[in-house]
Amino acid sequence: VILPIIAPECRWILMSNEGAQLLADMRPDRFTWFCNVDPRQGTYNSKSDLDFIIRQYKEMGAKGLGELTTPLDADDPMMDNLFGACEREQLPVLIHIAPQHGNAYGIVDEPGLPRIERMLKKHPDMKMIGHSQAFWCEIGKYPLEMRNAYPKGKIVKEGRLPQLLRECPNLYC
């Protein structure tokens, strides 16, 4: 799956949705692509009509949205607007969670993922695919300084991620 990167906070070199589509179209037997939409697009508020944009990319062949890296709280009203549009258009969302606000890319949530949980429960028909170091650290109880590294070793105590996977059938990883 080719993932465009559009959030300027994420990389020095960006990849457009159209670039991802072009690459996937060159080898449709091997690749597919996701679109990416910054929730700040349009009018930079929670009332932007993101359904139109997402529907357009879906009609162009996008199989999902992501990797979502916009550095907003996971339950920010603009993020909520994007998740609602993806839910209505039945497009799964691949998220990257940042370990903290600032000096990182990705949507932001605290340890325990309370903001992600709110969005999963508010949008039960939206499929969310989680990944990143901060996401995987939630598989067990790890110290906060581990949020920027993939966990290693045996899981001694279950973290919030296994619980969320049981509670929210729309969460994937």
Side-chain angles (χ1 to χ4, degrees):
V1 176
I2 298 174
L3 304 172
I5 296 291
I6 62 166
E9 301 87 357
C10 187
R11 295 274 185 253
W12 291 103
I13 299 172
L14 305 177
M15 175 182 279
S16 69
N17 290 298
E18 293 74 15
Q21 178 193 20
L22 177 67
L23 290 171
D25 286 351
M26 291 170 75
R27 289 292 307 273
D29 59 313
R30 185 162 188 166
F31 297 112
T32 190
W33 66 288
F34 278 19
C35 66
N36 208 334
V37 174
D38 190 315
R40 301 169 292 190
Q41 261 181 260
T43 57
Y44 203 91
N45 67 49
S46 62
K47 304 297 181 208
S48 291
D49 182 9
L50 300 179
D51 294 64
F52 172 77
I53 298 167
I54 291 168
R55 187 176 318 111
Q56 179 181 5
Y57 285 125
K58 186 177 178 184
E59 289 171 0
M60 291 169 62
K63 301 296 185 209
L65 185 138
E67 170 182 20
L68 183 58
T69 59
T70 308
L72 296 172
D73 287 334
D75 59 352
D76 181 279
M78 288 186 283
M79 201 68 79
D80 183 24
N81 184 40
L82 178 64
F83 290 147
C86 289
E87 180 179 34
R88 288 184 292 278
E89 293 301 321
Q90 299 178 338
L91 212 60
V93 180
L94 173 64
I95 61 166
H96 182 105
I97 299 176
Q100 75 273 331
H101 273 288
N103 199 29
Y105 69 90
I107 69 174
V108 184
D109 203 347
E110 290 82 35
L113 307 177
R115 296 171 187 275
I116 298 278
E117 179 180 4
R118 277 194 286 282
M119 292 296 95
L120 286 164
K121 291 181 176 176
K122 183 172 183 180
H123 302 287
D125 293 325
M126 174 200 57
K127 292 179 180 173
M128 182 182 285
I129 307 162
H131 102 104
S132 79
Q133 297 90 328
F135 180 79
W136 286 111
C137 274
E138 294 291 337
I139 201 165
K141 295 283 187 181
Y142 292 98
L144 287 179
E145 58 269 12
M146 287 291 299
R147 285 196 99 206
N148 207 19
Y150 288 107
K152 292 180 173 52
K154 187 174 181 175
I155 298 169
V156 178
K157 185 168 181 176
E158 182 179 277
R160 187 65 182 127
L161 181 55
Q163 297 165 4
L164 279 177
L165 285 165
R166 287 192 294 272
E167 295 170 16
C168 302
N170 53 335
L171 177 62
Y172 296 80
C173 45

